[in-house]
Each structure stands twice: as structure tokens, then as C-alpha cells.
Amino acid sequence: MSDYLPFLVIGVVTGSIYGLCAMGLVLTYKTSGVFNIGHGAVCAASAFVFYSLRDQADLPWPVAALLVVFCFGPVAGLLLERLAVALAPVAIAYKIVGTVGLLVAIRALLGLVYGDSTRFFPQFLPEDKAFDLASVAVGWDDLITLGIGAASAVALFLFFRLSRLGTAMRGVVDDPQLLSMAGTSPVRVRRAAWVIGTSFAAMSGVLFAAVQNQLDVNVLTLLVVNAFGAATIARFQSVPTAFAGGILVGVVQAVLSKAVGTCEQLQGVDLAPP
């Protein structure tokens, strides 16, 4: 068990980022019905924007993070909401093709601007040891990452249960016409859901790049695959369950990476669980 403990810690921390990404995915899917395969490309773009602001423009990382999560994320959400409106009346196959096109377009744009080479992405959260778990040192960056994910899950749960807008987001899925008759615009509700969901994508992209210590457009774009696994566990319905699903996916991946580490024929199996 002591051999697996470090991998469990890594799995929980990485899984919390998967869950954070999955919560944004579930939120946008529930309110618009669009299965956004381009969600991972938004994560990647957010990480690159953060890199430009912090490492190239020399902004303090808190300022860069605020700009990415609360400015870039919402603007991207508003643009994606317009895409979702355009895709709303078409068949499911065309919706999927549309979001795949979005992923390819953003991936290509990032390649043109930043190139295809992997860049070093230094951790910006404090890396000092917080405490020892058995023989494993748990850092403050690990705790903060897990705390951000858990706090976001709790906040979204309370938001859906206690706020008028959260109730409207649940209502727009069941009966948008009735919601409109009650004096709340379904368009405004869906727009708010995309803004919040894309902000979650921005946050998860920056955190994932920090955990990986690298800025690789392919790795960051494929973060959405892990989010799909977490969202599937939640049946694309429950936001808190999506977060728990992300942790489960992360832990399974980490344990498998340890279990098959010495078996050449099974290399890469740890990437398959999502």
C-alpha cells in the first residue's frame, strides 16, 4: 500500500482538475444539449493565454489568473454560446462535427501563434510541503488544487439549489417555454451557463498545465477526454457527481500507471480508463 500511496495522492490532485473540467462540460451540455468536444481546446487556449500574460508580459500570476478565468473565459463562453445557438436545430451528427471543427480550429490557431514545440510551464502555486501522509509529502499546491475543485463543486451545488439563476438553469432544460412565461429569458440563462462553464474550462486548463509543468497543445486539448469520462459517470446531469467522477478517473489512471509500469506490453493502458 505504501508503494501506491504517492500515486493515489497524484491521482486525487489530477482527478480534481478532471472534475473541474467536467463540471463545466456538464453545465453547458445540460442547458444547451451541445456535446462540446471543443471544450478541451478552450482549456488549452486558456493555459496559453495565461502563459503569455505571466511569462511573456511579466504580469503577476494572480492578475494573469484573474484575467484568464474572469475575462478570457467569459468572452470565450459568449462566443461558444452563439455557436451552440447555430447548432441547436441541426442533427446530433452535425453538432458533433461542429464542435470537432472548433477543436481543430483552435488547435491550429495555437500552433500558428506559439508553434508546436512543448514549452516549460513552471508551477505558480506554493510548492512547500504542507504535511506528510504516511511517507508521502503533500504540498500546498496539491491542497490548493484539490481545494479549488472541491469548493467549486460545493459552490455550484448551492448555486443550483439556492439562487434564482441556478433554478432557472435547471428549468431551462425541462421547459424553456414555461421559464419564458415566468419572466426569465431562456437565452440569458443559457448564455450564463456557457460563461460559467467556459470559465471552469479556463481554470482547469491553467491548473492542468501547472501540474504537468509543460505547455503542450495536444496534452491540454486531450484533457477533454478525461472530462468526458468524469461527465459520463455523472450521466451528464449532476455537477457534483462529475467532480467525484473526475477524482475516480484520476485515481484509476494513477494506480494503473503504477501497476503496469514494469510491463512493456501494457504501457499506455493507464490512459484508457476515460
Side-chain angles (χ1 to χ4, degrees):
M1 186 61 192
S2 61
D3 292 338
Y4 280 88
L5 191 56
F7 292 87
L8 289 173
V9 172
I10 294 171
V12 169
V13 173
T14 307
S16 66
I17 301 175
Y18 297 163
L20 195 64
C21 187
M23 287 191 291
L25 187 65
V26 169
L27 184 59
T28 54
Y29 177 78
K30 283 182 64 175
T31 54
S32 66
V34 174
F35 189 75
N36 185 18
I37 295 176
H39 194 75
V42 176
C43 298
S46 303
F48 275 94
V49 171
F50 179 86
Y51 171 81
S52 295
L53 293 174
R54 183 193 62 170
D55 295 87
Q56 296 180 337
D58 293 325
L59 288 179
W61 75 260
V63 176
L66 289 173
L67 289 174
V68 169
V69 175
F70 295 106
C71 293
F72 177 79
V75 170
L78 292 173
L79 294 175
L80 290 179
E81 188 270 338
R82 291 292 87 196
L83 176 64
V85 170
L87 294 176
V90 304
I92 293 176
Y94 294 120
K95 291 180 181 179
I96 294 175
V97 170
T99 59
V100 169
L102 176 68
L103 184 149
V104 173
I106 296 177
R107 164 68 182 82
L109 180 61
L110 292 174
L112 287 173
V113 175
Y114 295 96
D116 291 324
S117 60
T118 300
R119 298 169 183 250
F120 176 64
F121 190 96
Q123 175 63 269
F124 55 92
L125 297 173
E127 297 183 277
D128 300 331
K129 183 174 71 173
F131 60 87
D132 288 316
L133 183 63
S135 58
V136 179
V138 179
W140 282 110
D141 54 330
D142 299 327
L143 288 180
I144 292 172
T145 301
L146 178 60
I148 289 173
S152 299
V154 172
L156 272 184
F157 176 80
L158 296 176
F159 171 74
F160 279 125
R161 291 295 183 273
L162 303 179
S163 72
R164 179 180 176 85
L165 181 57
T167 303
M169 285 183 183
R170 289 187 289 138
V172 76
V173 180
D174 300 326
D175 196 333
Q177 185 176 0
L178 181 60
L179 184 68
S180 180
M181 291 172 62
T184 301
S185 169
V187 174
R188 185 178 65 85
V189 172
R190 292 193 184 98
R191 192 169 294 158
W194 276 95
V195 166
I196 296 172
T198 310
S199 296
F200 272 54
M203 194 186 310
S204 60
V206 172
L207 290 173
F208 192 63
V211 167
Q212 296 290 316
N213 283 135
Q214 64 176 351
L215 204 59
D216 186 300
V217 64
N218 296 314
V219 172
L220 289 167
T221 300
L222 292 177
L223 172 61
V224 74
V225 177
N226 302 292
F228 285 160
T232 302
I233 292 173
R235 299 190 300 170
F236 284 87
Q237 296 297 319
S238 171
V239 171
T241 306
F243 178 71
I247 292 180
L248 177 61
V249 169
V251 168
V252 170
Q253 280 187 322
V255 170
L256 275 177
S257 69
K258 166 63 177 174
V260 304
T262 57
C263 183
E264 184 178 350
Q265 290 80 4
L266 295 178
Q267 294 303 308
V269 169
D270 55 309
L271 302 177

